[in-house]
Structure formats: C-alpha cells, structure tokens
C-alpha cells in the first residue's frame, strides 16, 4: 500500500494587526507620543529667537541701540546675520522685541495684587519678587532704565497702553486697602514709584552697591538682608496694624 503523501502543516491563523500593535506604535507607546514636525519646528524657532534675544539684551544694555550692530548680536548668538534677520526684520524690531519681553517680566509681579489680599503680605512679596528680578536679570533692568532716560522713543506706545492700564487697575487695589484702613493714606502712583526705585537700584547701580558694601545680590545673605530692610522701610511707613486708629 503506497504511503500517503505528507500533509503540509497548516499555517497558524494570522493575528489581526491593529494600528496600536505595530512596532512603530509600540515604540511610540514606550517613548511617549512623538512631537509633530510642525510643533518641533515651532519650538526650534522659539529657541533660536530666545538665544538671539538674550544676546541682544546683553549688548543693548551695555552699548544701547545705536552702539550695537546686528553683526555683533549675530556673533554673540552664534548665528549668521541672515538667520538673525529671518527672525527679526531689522535692529529696531529686535530692540523693541527685547524691551517688550522685559516689560512683561518687569510687570508680572504687580499683576497679582488684589483687594482680597493682605496688603502687608502682597507688598512684601512684591518687594521680594522685584529684588529677585534685579538679582537674576540685572541687564534687563539696566536696559529698561536706559530706554527711560532716553525718553522711551521706541517703547512709548507700549507704556501708554499696557503699563498705564495695569497701574490704573492696581492703583484701585491700593486705594481699596487705604479705604479699609489697612494701609496708611498714600497716593498709589508714588508708592509704586518708590517700590520700583528701591528694588531696581540694586540692578541699575550694582557697581555702586558693591563698591559701598563689598557685596551684591548674588550673595544669598546680602540678598535676604536687602529684602528684609526694604520691606521694613516700606511697610513700617505705610502699613496699618489691624484696629489701629487712623
């Protein structure tokens, strides 16, 4: 009897492969969802802009608008001049962009003022935040000061809008604190001007501060000493103890 022909082994049933089961999908699951190309490109552009703005701030704060060239900024940022001009049309646009960023950082601590806050805590926190900016971003404070001394030729419109609107809103908060008897009678604008002057002095006149004290805000002990003293000078002059006679 002839041998039966060998039977071919049957192929195991193929598993359905879903999109989530592909090697590429498993790799994405293991490493997180990949960032879309357009988002990566946008992030790269923002990173490049930040590097250029940082280089421009360093030079503008030392030499001003007219004493700084596009070539110098490009060299400091380690980009080509054409690449810099891709992000900013000209030196003036770059300068205004730097100042706008500074204005946003500079005003941010003031935005948190609200009538519901305890004024001592709010003002004490504001002083600490402004001194932190003076410590960490002294170039920014000096450039802003330079622009003001020159009459704010390129920032006047910004000052007339964002700065004025913010100060008017926060002046109402200060007036509410005064009306509630939680602050001594004080005109809000003068209080704000005094806070700016006292905190920014340590950046704008850092050389003078170091010459007279031998220390800077980079010294942690001197920083805390400065915070305590400025807070005491301001708050002992305007704060009211709850229930105290006006």
């Amino acid at each position: 009897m002839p041998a039966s022909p060998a039977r071919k082994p049957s192929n195991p049933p193929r598993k359905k492969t879903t999109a989530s089961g592909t090697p590429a999908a498993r790799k994405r699951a293991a490493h997180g969802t990949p960032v879309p190309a357009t988002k990566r490109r946008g992030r790269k552009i923002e990173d490049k802009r930040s590097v250029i703005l940082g280089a421009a701030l360093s030079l503008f704060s030392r030499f001003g608008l007219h004493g700084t060239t596009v070539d110098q900024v490009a060299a400091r940022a380690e980009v080509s001049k054409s690449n810099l001009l891709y992000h900013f049309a000209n030196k003036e646009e770059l300068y205004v962009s730097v100042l706008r960023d500074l204005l946003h950082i500079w005003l941010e601590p003031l935005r948190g003022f609200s009538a519901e806050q305890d004024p001592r805590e709010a003002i004490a926190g504001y002083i600490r935040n402004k001194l932190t900016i003076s410590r960490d971003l002294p170039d920014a404070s000096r450039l802003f000061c330079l622009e003001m001394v020159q009459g704010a030729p390129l920032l006047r419109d910004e000052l007339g809008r964002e700065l004025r609107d913010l100060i008017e809103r926060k002046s109402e908060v200060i007036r509410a604190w005064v009306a509630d008897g939680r602050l001594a009678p004080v005109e809000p604008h003068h209080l704000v001007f005094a806070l700016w002057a006292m905190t920014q002095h340590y950046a704008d006149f850092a050389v003078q501060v170091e010459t007279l004290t031998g220390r800077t805000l980079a010294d942690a002990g001197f920083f805390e000493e400065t915070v305590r003293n400025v807070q005491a000078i301001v708050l002992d002059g305007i704060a009211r103890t709850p229930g105290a006679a006006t």
Side-chain angles (χ1 to χ4, degrees), residues 85-194:
L85 293 175
Y86 169 80
H87 295 281
F88 303 95
N90 50 52
K91 184 172 67 170
E92 287 72 21
E93 181 181 316
L94 175 59
Y95 183 78
V96 171
S97 295
V98 170
L99 288 172
R100 283 175 178 160
D101 280 2
L102 299 185
L103 189 61
H104 178 78
I105 294 170
W106 197 54
L107 295 178
E108 191 60 30
L110 190 60
R111 298 181 197 279
F113 274 24
S114 68
E116 294 74 26
Q117 289 179 296
D118 175 78
R120 288 190 69 95
E121 292 180 2
I123 294 170
Y126 180 73
I127 290 169
R128 176 175 289 278
N129 287 334
K130 285 291 275 89
L131 284 169
T132 299
I133 294 173
S134 288
R135 179 194 66 195
D136 297 344
L137 298 170
D139 285 350
S141 184
R142 286 192 284 268
L143 178 57
F144 198 88
C145 179
L146 180 62
E147 176 69 7
M148 295 303 102
V149 169
Q150 294 175 343
L154 296 179
L155 199 61
R156 186 174 290 277
D157 288 345
E158 298 288 335
L159 295 176
R161 294 193 302 270
E162 183 178 6
L163 181 58
R164 181 187 292 273
D165 291 345
L166 178 63
I167 295 303
E168 288 306 315
R169 292 198 305 273
K170 300 312 171 181
S171 291
E172 290 305 312
V173 171
I174 295 170
R175 291 188 183 99
W177 288 337
V178 171
D180 289 345
R182 293 187 287 167
L183 282 186
V186 61
E187 206 289 319
H189 287 90
H190 295 301
L191 173 58
V192 172
F193 296 157

